[in-house]
Amino acid sequence: IHIDYMVHSFKDILNKDHVLDFGDAGACNKNVLCEHPSWCNQRRSVVNIAILTQGNHFDAFCTGALLTNEKRDHRPYFLTARHCLDNNENGLLSNDEKNQVQDWIYIFNYQSDECSDPSFNPQVISSISGAEFVSSRFASDFALLELSAPPTGEFNSFYSGWDNDNNNSKSGATIHHASGDIKKISLYDNKAKKSKFFDSVPFTKTW
């Protein structure tokens, strides 16, 4: 066994006062458990990412989601944004930037249990440490990872599906940790536009 280094978190890594204020998401984002029951499965796939930055501090956050594959074998593929890895914002990913996902913490169920915003950070008990870089594309700003382990049953997780046909959805939802806040949802009712850079459209179907 080779251990590169260790990180000891003796403070709450979800205390984001030094980065973003708790409850900083925009008003258009509603607590995910509050409404929209038609998205109750998909919201369980969305994960908050605690990013280990320079100085070995967890002081940056991104959003990602568990993604199924054609085998539906629960292999823990994980979709996030490519810019979350691009530390120097030069449009390129070095090996160090690709490998940093091994140090990230993937936090499940960071959300409120009700419509109103809680006064304090919700308790988080489900997380996975580490992932492997699989692929990415600059133009469509995606990065595909594989988590170091699949979430267990107690995570109550869900693997979101995808669709690469040309029938763009006329409506949908954005479920994410807006500004690093607890899990939020916002709906849209305009047809998603397909960029000339995209090889596929946003996923709209689930398995």
Side-chain angles (χ1 to χ4, degrees), residues 34-89:
C34 179
E35 50 189 329
H36 313 306
S38 59
W39 296 94
C40 62
N41 285 330
Q42 292 85 350
R43 68 193 182 196
R44 291 159 44 209
S45 72
V46 177
V47 176
N48 192 16
I49 309 170
I51 297 176
L52 187 68
T53 59
Q54 292 183 353
N56 289 346
H57 299 296
F58 289 103
D59 55 7
F61 297 85
C62 270
T63 300
L66 281 170
L67 196 67
T68 192
N69 58 27
E70 291 184 340
K71 293 182 179 180
R72 310 182 192 182
D73 59 1
H74 296 96
R75 188 169 179 175
Y77 284 125
F78 188 81
L79 184 67
T80 187
R82 189 180 189 274
H83 68 259
C84 294
L85 287 71
D86 190 5
N87 296 330
N88 55 12
E89 300 179 355

Side-chain angles (χ1 to χ4, degrees), residues 189-207:
D189 56 9
N190 293 319
K191 187 174 182 179
K193 294 182 179 180
K194 184 177 180 180
S195 167
K196 64 180 180 179
F197 298 113
F198 277 63
D199 295 326
S200 61
V201 299
F203 60 82
T204 55
K205 297 179 180 178
T206 57
W207 290 332

Side-chain angles (χ1 to χ4, degrees), residues 125-163:
I125 58 174
S126 301
S127 66
I128 291 174
S129 178
E132 292 291 334
F133 176 87
V134 177
S135 181
S136 73
R137 192 165 190 262
F138 173 78
S140 49
D141 194 25
F142 91 88
L144 183 65
L145 316 178
E146 183 175 350
L147 298 182
S148 61
T152 60
E154 63 185 21
F155 283 50
N156 191 33
S157 58
F158 180 82
Y159 289 74
S160 281
W162 48 273
D163 187 351

Side-chain angles (χ1 to χ4, degrees), residues 85-141:
L85 287 71
D86 190 5
N87 296 330
N88 55 12
E89 300 179 355
N90 66 351
L92 303 174
L93 291 184
S94 66
N95 286 333
D96 286 342
E97 288 174 320
K98 293 177 181 179
N99 291 336
Q100 67 178 312
V101 301
Q102 299 173 9
D103 301 321
W104 293 358
I105 297 178
Y106 303 83
I107 303 166
F108 292 72
N109 304 316
Y110 179 48
Q111 58 201 26
S112 173
D113 293 330
E114 53 190 22
C115 290
S116 58
D117 289 327
S119 300
F120 304 97
N121 272 328
Q123 183 180 9
V124 177
I125 58 174
S126 301
S127 66
I128 291 174
S129 178
E132 292 291 334
F133 176 87
V134 177
S135 181
S136 73
R137 192 165 190 262
F138 173 78
S140 49
D141 194 25

Side-chain angles (χ1 to χ4, degrees), residues 13-26:
I13 65 170
L14 293 179
N15 183 348
K16 300 182 288 295
D17 290 342
H18 58 294
V19 180
L20 293 171
D21 290 335
F22 175 66
D24 201 37

